[in-house]
Structure formats: structure tokens, C-alpha cells
Amino acid sequence: MKAMILDAPGGLDRLRQVDRPDPGAPGPGMIRVRLHATSLNYHDYGVVTGRMPTEDGRIPMADGAGIVEAVGEGVRDFMAGDAVVSCFFPDWQEGPPRIGDFSRVPGDGIDGYACELVVGPATAFTRAPKGYSHAEAATITTAGLTAWRSLVVDGGLKAGDRVLVLGTGGVSIWALQIARMMGAQVAVTSSSDEKLERARSLGAAHMINYRTHPEWGKLVHDWAGGGVDHVIEVGGPGTLAQSIDAVRIGGHIGLIGVLTGFAGDVPTATLMSKQARLQGLIVGSRRMQMEFVRALDEATFRPVIDRSFALDELADAFRYQESGDHFGKIAVTF
Ligand SMILES: NC(=O)c1ccc[n+]([C@@H]2O[C@H](COP(=O)([O-])OP(=O)(O)OC[C@H]3O[C@@H](n4cnc5c(N)ncnc54)[C@H](OP(=O)(O)O)[C@@H]3O)[C@@H](O)[C@H]2O)c1
């Protein structure tokens, strides 16, 4: 089977396609999946560029979607022919978080899904949303589930809430779509007026260019009539102060991303006086993914895939992500 591997110490020119042995028949509790798609995340970008060092020869990519070819003894959740999608944390089945690292995350601490075939525990997959293409299904593992957990599981999002999403990347566009599905009003920031128009066509009610309006926090606060209920904070230290300005008293900020860096100043007094909840999170459990898939079965929208690449074009796909030109998700199909 074909697989993409990453030679140490990483870097986009160190991704190469190889032939690996067929993984064989699934043992007890395992399933054999023919993979057809993965999707790119900022985390995967960190791994393949060597900023998050991994083992020599690692198969990258956390997201994987495909069809079950065979099930091992004792597997009850799936049968051959089922469309499935991988879980970001194969060991976090349900309950509160107990994992704070990436040591067992596919494509980082263990091999991921940039390959044609995999045999793995049935508990490392859920079924895919009904009617989804493999590329669409692949986008739920990391970006989709993170947005769902932050807004719905941790945030308790309800109809009529006001939501702010930062930028127009994978997590943020998923969050926009989930918020609209749940009857919330959404403000979006972006560096591009053209992307803001695309966000409007997906139902965004308020659009701000963060380059031309660096004090966007107050603008969002005023639009929401006293602050938003939820912020999808993917920027990190360079955007957090504005996000705190944008949130309402008693509101919720999902601290998700590191696009502007890993550490920085936090206006603690403003956060305290806002009595806002700042919640750090990494993706979610398998149980959360199952509930998310059930919700998506009833939804009428589809995730936004900006562009798809072939497996041996994985490095080009990451170069495209690097350019920042994308809107929503980038997929790789095979
Ligand atoms: N904690 C978790 O579980 C989790 C899960 C998934 C992702 N993440 C993190 O979330 C972040 C986003 O991930 P992603 O996969 O969605 O990335 P992505 O698809 O590559 O999104 C990048 C987009 O973010 C926007 N952006 C960049 N700098 C910005 C800034 N200073 N202010 C506002 N927006 C900015 C840009 O949008 P415009 O082009 O519109 O300006 C850019 O296109 C990353 O840091 C990633 O590591 C965390």
C-alpha cells in the first residue's frame, strides 16, 4: 500500500511516498479500513515542518476517513462496508479530559492516516456522518470536533447566542457553520474582505477585517449589544486581549489556537472583571465525536473544502495552507 512518510528532522521537502506492506487481517477488537481522505490541520503542519518533532519515518495526518473492509473478533460497532472516520485521541473514549499531550495522537506520537490501508482498534473510529464524502468526513476529526466541543459541549451554545470566530481557517469555518445550525448569530474576523464576503454567504451576520480594524474587540462587543456569548479563540497571545474585549460579562472563550505564538501577556484584570470563562481545550473524546456525528446527520449544510490534493501532493497541500489563501478546509483524497 502507498503511504506518505516524514524523514527526520522534518520539513516539507522530507515528505515522500513509499510502499509499505499490507497491514493484513484485523485481530480481536480491530478493524481494517481502506482510507480515502485526510484533511490538513495546523497541528499536522507543525509535525511535517519539524516544529513538533516526531519519529523518523512517521506517517503524518491526524484525520482519516474511509470504508471498513473487515472487522476482527468481538467488534460490534462496525461491519464491512461502513463509512468511518478516525478519532484524534484514540484512547479518550468518554468522560472528562485526562490527556494533555500528543503522545498517542495519530500523525504525531503514533502513525497517522496519510496511507491507503490501516488496521487499528475499532475504538479509534466512529461512523461518518450520513451522506458525507470521505473528504468531508475527514474534516470532523480535528477541526470539526474542536469547534463542536468548544461551542456545544463546553460552551452550552443555544439559539440566539452571539458567537465570534477568528479568521476563516478550518476550525473557524466549522464553528461558523455549527453556530448557524444551532440558531446563533455569528461575527467573523479575517485579513481578507473577499473571505468575509464568503463568510457572509455562509450566514455570518457581522464581518470585520482585523488588519484594517486592529481594535476589533470593541466593534464585536458593540455589535453583540454588550459582548458575545462565545469566542472561538484560535489566535492565542496576539488576539486574546481583543477577544476578552469582545466577550460579554459572564461569557465564554474557547482557547484553541496558537496562530500568533505560544505565550504572551494576558489582561488578567479585564478577564476577571468580565467574569468570563477562559477554557483551554484539545479536540475531544470519541463520545463527543459520536454525538457530533449524530447532530450532523440532521444538518443541511456541508463542511467547506477549499481545495483537494492527491496523496503524493501532500507537501503541496501544506504549501497551500502555508500561503494562508485557503477558506475552510484543505483535503487530500486517494
Ligand atoms: N486546541 C485544539 O484542539 C485545536 C484543534 C484544531 C486547531 N487548533 C489550533 O487552532 C488554530 C487554527 O487551526 P486551523 O486548523 O483552523 O488553521 P488554518 O485552517 O490554517 O487557519 C488559519 C487561518 O487563521 C486565520 N488567522 C491567522 N492569523 C490570525 C490572526 N492573527 N487573527 C485572526 N485570524 C488569524 C487566517 O484567516 P484569514 O485568512 O481569514 O485572515 C488563516 O487563514 C491553530 O493554532 C491550531 O493549532 C487547536
Side-chain angles (χ1 to χ4, degrees):
M1 65 139 181
K2 291 191 181 62
M4 292 298 293
I5 61 164
L6 181 71
D7 291 325
L12 295 182
D13 52 356
R14 289 181 171 267
L15 277 168
R16 65 187 167 99
Q17 188 171 292
V18 294
D19 272 319
R20 283 271 174 99
D22 186 295
M30 314 282 269
I31 58 175
R32 175 183 161 100
V33 180
R34 182 160 296 271
L35 294 160
H36 291 292
T38 180
S39 87
L40 277 65
N41 297 287
Y42 200 75
H43 178 89
D44 304 306
Y45 177 75
V47 173
V48 296
T49 53
R51 289 173 205 183
M52 303 177 76
T54 187
E55 220 171 77
D56 187 33
R58 173 68 74 230
I59 298 176
M61 309 307 280
D63 304 350
I67 297 283
V68 176
E69 281 193 342
V71 305
E73 192 191 322
V75 172
R76 303 269 172 270
D77 287 357
F78 305 111
M79 50 191 211
D82 284 350
V84 291
V85 54
S86 66
C87 297
F88 189 86
F89 286 120
D91 305 320
W92 180 14
Q93 295 294 303
E94 58 190 338
R98 289 197 188 81
I99 304 170
D101 62 47
F102 303 104
S103 59
R104 294 269 308 146
V105 169
D108 187 341
I110 60 175
D111 275 342
Y113 299 114
C115 58
E116 292 178 321
L117 280 168
V118 69
V119 169
T123 51
F125 292 84
T126 69
R127 71 173 177 83
K130 284 182 193 142
Y132 267 40
S133 70
H134 296 301
E136 289 168 339
T139 71
I140 77 168
T141 297
T142 307
L145 186 59
T146 301
W148 169 262
R149 174 181 167 195
S150 187
L151 289 174
V152 178
V153 182
D154 293 347
L157 179 77
K158 51 190 192 315
D161 278 0
R162 302 286 191 271
V163 172
L164 166 64
V165 307
L166 270 54
T168 59
V171 174
S172 298
I173 295 302
W174 253 116
L176 163 63
Q177 294 184 293
I178 291 166
R180 293 299 296 142
M181 170 179 82
M182 306 285 288
Q185 295 252 24
V186 184
V188 180
T189 69
S190 176
S191 56
S192 151
D193 290 341
E194 194 196 326
K195 289 182 179 180
L196 288 173
E197 277 311 309
R198 289 183 72 182
R200 185 204 298 276
S201 72
L202 293 176
H206 191 63
M207 283 74 60
I208 301 177
N209 187 316
Y210 61 80
R211 291 254 165 83
T212 52
H213 296 90
E215 305 284 311
W216 43 267
K218 181 171 174 356
L219 297 176
V220 173
H221 177 275
D222 293 350
W223 162 76
V228 294
D229 302 279
H230 310 273
V231 181
I232 293 294
E233 204 350 306
V234 293
T239 52
L240 185 54
Q242 290 297 315
S243 292
I244 292 170
D245 284 347
V247 78
R248 71 164 165 80
I249 293 171
H252 163 243
I253 301 173
L255 188 58
I256 292 166
V258 293
L259 289 168
T260 64
F262 291 103
D265 290 337
V266 181
T268 50
T270 316
L271 182 63
M272 180 194 66
S273 59
K274 281 264 174 114
Q275 305 191 60
R277 189 157 56 92
L278 183 63
Q279 157 105 48
L281 69 145
I282 314 177
V283 194
S285 68
R286 180 170 184 249
R287 169 70 53 197
M288 290 177 202
Q289 185 163 309
M290 290 160 95
E291 287 165 4
F292 181 35
V293 168
R294 209 172 54 156
L296 293 175
D297 285 343
E298 304 303 320
T300 52
F301 74 88
R302 288 299 179 84
V304 177
I305 297 176
D306 179 289
R307 228 173 121 176
S308 291
F309 292 80
L311 184 60
D312 62 357
E313 296 172 333
L314 186 59
D316 290 335
F318 278 111
R319 286 187 192 102
Y320 182 58
Q321 184 187 29
E322 208 168 39
S323 76
D325 287 345
H326 62 290
F327 178 93
K329 294 294 299 178
I330 302 164
V332 171
T333 54
F334 34 97

